[in-house]
Amino acid sequence: MRTITQFLKCTGIVCFMFTALLFSSCEDDSDEGTNNNNNSSLKGVWTRLPGPSGDRTDLAIGGIEGESSERVYMCEKQGSTAAGLYKGYIDGHYITWDAEYGLPDTYIEIVGGKLEFSYPDCSFCLVTDYERGSWGGDCGLLQNGGGGTTETTGQVMFWTQNDLGCGTITVNVAGNGGSITGYYSSGAPSCGAAYGANFTLPAGNYSFTASCSSYNWDGNVTVTAGGCFKMQLTQ
C-alpha cells in the first residue's frame, strides 16, 4: 500500500496528505470524455466531510477578495498531518498548485451534485468527494467567502475527553440532532471531528441539550461567522 505522502517522498518533495487515510492502489477514475461541466459551475466553497480521523478540508474556488477569479485556496484543517493553507489556480477543470508546495495537478468535476477531486498523474490515489459548504476559518477568513458572498455560518462541535460509560451521547441544537460516538483523550479536536457532534449554523447564540443513559446537559453556545466553537461535555 502507498500513500500520497510516500509518492511525494519518492520525488524528493515535502510530504503532504489531503486525507488521513489516502491509501490503496486504485486506478485513475477521472474521465475527461464524459465531462460536461463548465468552469463557473465549479466555483464557490466546497468541503470534504470528515474522514475516519476527523480531518476535514475546505476548498475555495474563485470569489476570493484581492485575488484573481481563477485563484484557489485549500485549507487542511488543524489536526491534519498536513494542516495549512495551500494556493493554486484553476484552468478549466485542472488546478495547478503554486510550485512551493510540490503538489501534482488536480482534476475536478461535478458528479451527482458532488465535486470529485482526483490526481490524474497519481495511479494509486483515491478520488475524494466534496459537498457545497462553508469556509471554516482554520486558515484565516475569506472576505468574500470564496464564492462571492460574505461568510454567515460557523461551526460548533461537542466532544468528550474520556469515556463517560453511558454509550452514545445525543445532542440537539436549534432543532438539529447529532451524536458523540467516541472521545479524544489528547484534547479538543478540530470542528468536524468524526467522534464529535458537529453542526453548521448561522452566526448567533443557541441553546443546546445533550443526554446519554447516565447524564444530561444543557447550556448555550455562540456561533461566529467562519468560526469553530468547541463545547466539551464532562461528568
Side-chain angles (χ1 to χ4, degrees):
M1 294 189 293
R2 303 185 67 188
T3 66
I4 280 189
T5 302
Q6 292 170 321
F7 169 75
L8 294 178
K9 279 183 178 178
C10 291
T11 61
I13 301 171
V14 176
C15 299
F16 182 87
M17 292 179 64
F18 288 109
T19 66
L21 294 175
L22 269 181
F23 56 92
S24 178
S25 57
C26 59
E27 299 295 327
D28 181 4
D29 292 323
S30 61
D31 184 356
E32 295 180 43
T34 61
N35 173 35
N36 294 315
N37 299 294
N38 54 52
N39 183 283
S40 62
S41 68
L42 302 171
K43 292 189 175 180
V45 176
W46 300 85
T47 297
R48 181 177 58 76
L49 299 182
S53 66
D55 59 323
R56 167 179 157 158
T57 305
D58 291 339
L59 184 69
I61 305 173
I64 303 169
E65 186 172 10
E67 298 280 11
S68 78
S69 62
E70 309 308 312
R71 195 60 157 154
V72 177
Y73 282 6
M74 180 172 65
C75 177
E76 276 285 323
K77 296 289 187 176
Q78 295 174 11
S80 166
T81 55
L85 179 65
Y86 302 85
K87 300 179 181 181
Y89 289 92
I90 187 170
D91 182 7
H93 290 265
Y94 283 89
I95 298 173
T96 299
W97 302 100
D98 292 4
E100 64 191 273
Y101 310 121
L103 302 177
D105 290 351
T106 298
Y107 181 81
I108 57 176
E109 63 177 332
I110 297 175
V111 178
K114 295 183 178 181
L115 184 141
E116 287 193 351
F117 185 108
S118 63
Y119 300 96
D121 294 332
C122 177
S123 63
F124 53 84
C125 299
L126 293 174
V127 175
T128 54
D129 289 334
Y130 286 66
E131 295 182 350
R132 291 285 183 186
S134 59
W135 186 263
D138 286 40
C139 298
L141 295 180
L142 294 180
Q143 295 303 312
N144 276 347
T149 57
T150 302
E151 187 73 54
T152 59
T153 62
Q155 296 178 278
V156 59
M157 188 260 316
F158 294 81
W159 67 288
T160 62
Q161 193 166 18
N162 49 59
D163 185 357
L164 301 183
C166 61
T168 298
I169 300 172
T170 58
V171 182
N172 188 282
V173 182
N176 300 294
S179 300
I180 298 175
T181 58
Y183 61 94
Y184 293 88
S185 58
S186 60
S190 300
C191 278
Y195 300 138
N198 296 279
F199 303 87
T200 299
L201 298 165
N205 297 312
Y206 298 90
S207 60
F208 75 87
T209 59
S211 63
C212 61
S213 62
S214 304
Y215 303 98
N216 292 285
W217 298 266
D218 62 74
N220 296 282
V221 292
T222 299
V223 177
T224 58
C228 169
F229 188 100
K230 303 174 184 181
M231 172 61 73
Q232 181 184 0
L233 301 182
T234 60
Q235 294 174 313

